[in-house]
Amino acid sequence: MRRTWRWGAACSLAVLGCDRTGVARALTAAQSTAIDRLLESQMAGHRIPGLALAVVKNGGGVKQVVLGLANVESGMPVSATTPFQVASTTKSFSATAVLLLVGEGRLKLTGRIRDRIPGLPPTWQDVTVRQLLTYLRPSRHRSHSRPA
């Protein structure tokens, strides 16, 4: 849980350059400094050896931060190309994006994913957006009443 929170916190900072509508805006010097201080304090407080962060505006970088070590044993520093394990943090971002689309009326939780993704296997034809987000199978595929 701690590792997921660490990466989630760092990844969540990447959205600071966007407002609620998703339109990016430039970071102020105060925002940039606040991000640096937050990252440094979180790294120290949670013993995070290294991280990389990018804040993007209209497809271009607004801020890039690389801190700490990619490999503690060898002392290799983090770089802009250091690969990180993100584990399940992408699930939260995906769910947030889908729910924003639902809120805008562009997608329905009860809609079938086959309507959005052509060429799915026959066993996926009845899967809804809600089931995909919650990792539930359609009820006809369940062998008991509890969620799979």
Side-chain angles (χ1 to χ4, degrees), residues 65-145:
V65 180
V66 291
L67 297 170
L69 300 175
N71 186 310
V72 176
E73 289 81 20
S74 71
M76 185 172 77
V78 171
S79 74
T81 60
T82 300
F84 289 93
Q85 286 187 323
V86 293
S88 294
T89 45
T90 55
K91 294 174 188 173
S92 299
F93 287 99
S94 298
T96 300
V98 167
L99 292 175
L100 286 171
L101 292 172
V102 168
E104 294 172 1
R106 296 170 58 188
L107 194 63
K108 294 181 185 226
L109 288 175
T110 56
R112 307 281 180 216
I113 61 169
R114 71 171 180 234
D115 299 335
R116 300 285 180 168
I117 306 171
L120 291 173
T123 55
W124 290 33
Q125 293 302 307
D126 294 326
V127 176
T128 65
V129 172
R130 176 180 279 120
Q131 290 167 326
L132 195 61
L133 287 175
T134 59
Y135 306 100
L136 291 177
R137 294 177 283 177
S139 58
R140 70 185 177 115
H141 295 292
R142 289 191 199 134
S143 58
H144 47 76
S145 60

Side-chain angles (χ1 to χ4, degrees), residues 1-9 42 44-48 89:
M1 180 66 150
R2 181 188 283 182
R3 178 176 288 177
T4 301
W5 181 88
R6 288 178 193 166
W7 296 123
Q42 291 299 311
H46 295 283
R47 297 175 38 175
I48 300 170
T89 45

